[in-house]
């Protein structure tokens, strides 16, 4: 079933998973509102899509929800909200913890609650947050990131309970190793090309499917959770990790 004429807002839409989600929802007939702080790449993605408007802004700015409300007009409805914007801040940054929690967690919660009046007006409102496997399993140097994603998974469950009476379903995906610019190292390689990744995850099979995932594979899961066909999944965190979380 195509989700004809739904309006979907995707944050982090200029790159990686957010861009793949935007393209997939647009292909299903949705009208897109796209947010990213990278204005030029955002306008490139919006330009590819049939019906998309770009709002170049920082999700952590206090007026992000206001900008969306203004774009959709008084009485406007929002069918889908996908919170995909996220960062990894180097741990030696003095403000790493505060910045990471602000962008990856607080901004997503604030945008969601700020847009509840618009979501309530939609026939089948859905919110999907992009969490991470790092919410449950740690890597070195990732305290801020892991805490932000753990908080986002918890907020997903709490919002699902809180918004259920409004018919707003709230879920998250927890991607594992996904080949996007976020996985790129300072030397230009992706972390998936490093010896340790090849050895531990691929040769020794710590990653059962033995390859990183693509942004499009995450978008498939997001689009199901966001679809009107999803009528009974709420408060869930769906791992999209090639079996990483299932392996001993
Ligand atoms: P990406 O770096 O390709 O895309 C992230 C986008 O978010 C960028 O376009 C960036 O400009 C935007 N962004 C960052 N901070 C922003 C802000 N304050 N305001 C507006 N836009 C902002 O990375 P990717 O991989 O597509 O990440 C998307 C989401 O997926 C993130 O939440 C990330 O934490 C999550 N994720 C990624 C994984 C991976 O392996 N790539 C694994 C698990 C989760």
């Amino acid at each position: 079933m195509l989700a004809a004429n739904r309006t979907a807002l995707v944050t982090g839409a200029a790159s990686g998973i957010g861009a793949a989600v935007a393209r997939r929802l647009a292909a299903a007939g949705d009208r897109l509102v796209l947010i990213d702080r990278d204005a030029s790449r955002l306008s490139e993605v919006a330009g590819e899509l049939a019906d998309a408007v770009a709002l170049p802004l920082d999700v952590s700015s206090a007026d992000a929800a206001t900008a969306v409300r203004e774009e959709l007009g008084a009485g406007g409805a929002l069918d889908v909200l996908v919170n995909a914007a996220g960062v990894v801040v180097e741990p030696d940054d003095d403000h790493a913890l505060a910045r990471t929690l602000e962008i990856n967690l607080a901004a997503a919660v604030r945008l969601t609650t700020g847009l509840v009046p618009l979501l309530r007006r939609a026939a089948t409102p859905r919110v999907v947050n992009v969490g991470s496997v790092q919410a449950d399993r740690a890597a070195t140097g990732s305290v801020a990131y892991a805490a932000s994603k753990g908080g986002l998974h918890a907020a997903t469950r709490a919002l699902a309970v809180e918004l259920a009476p409004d018919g707003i379903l709230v879920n998250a995906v927890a991607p594992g190793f996904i080949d996007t610019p976020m996985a790129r190292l300072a030397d230009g390689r992706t972390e998936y090309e490093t010896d340790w990744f090849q050895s531990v995850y691929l040769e020794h099979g710590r990653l059962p499917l033995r390859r990183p995932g693509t942004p499009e594979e995450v978008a498939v899961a997001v689009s199901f959770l966001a679809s009107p066909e999803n009528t009974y999944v709420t408060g869930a965190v769906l791992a999209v990790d090639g079996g990483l979380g299932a392996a001993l």
Side-chain angles (χ1 to χ4, degrees), residues 12-18 35-38 41 57-60 84-87 103-104 130-133 145 149 175-183 191-192:
S15 178
I17 293 168
I35 287 180
D36 204 287
R37 64 182 176 188
D38 184 334
R41 277 167 47 204
L57 51 84
D58 190 316
V59 282
S60 63
V87 286
I103 294 169
N104 293 5
V130 180
S132 171
V133 291
Y145 186 79
K149 294 299 185 177
F177 293 108
I178 309 299
D179 193 359
T180 74
M182 188 178 271
E191 60 179 320
Y192 313 129

Side-chain angles (χ1 to χ4, degrees), residues 59-189:
V59 282
S60 63
S61 64
D63 53 358
T66 308
V68 176
R69 284 194 296 265
E70 282 171 5
E71 177 59 37
L72 296 181
L78 182 65
D79 299 275
V80 175
L81 166 58
V82 179
N83 288 301
V87 286
V88 174
V89 179
E90 291 306 317
D92 52 3
D93 180 318
D94 286 346
H95 305 292
L97 181 61
R99 286 187 56 214
T100 308
L101 291 174
E102 174 55 34
I103 294 169
N104 293 5
L105 172 58
V109 172
R110 206 164 44 233
L111 191 60
T112 304
T113 53
L115 294 175
V116 163
L118 284 77
L119 289 161
R120 280 197 188 115
R121 289 189 201 111
T124 54
R126 308 283 182 258
V127 178
V128 185
N129 295 320
V130 180
S132 171
V133 291
Q134 290 199 46
D136 300 312
R137 285 174 299 281
T140 51
S142 69
V143 172
Y145 186 79
S148 73
K149 294 299 185 177
L152 189 59
H153 290 191
T156 299
R157 288 185 285 270
L159 286 164
V161 170
E162 203 154 301
L163 299 177
D166 294 307
I168 302 171
L169 307 193
V170 185
N171 291 288
V173 291
F177 293 108
I178 309 299
D179 193 359
T180 74
M182 188 178 271
R184 211 155 283 283
L185 304 170
D187 64 9
R189 293 183 302 164

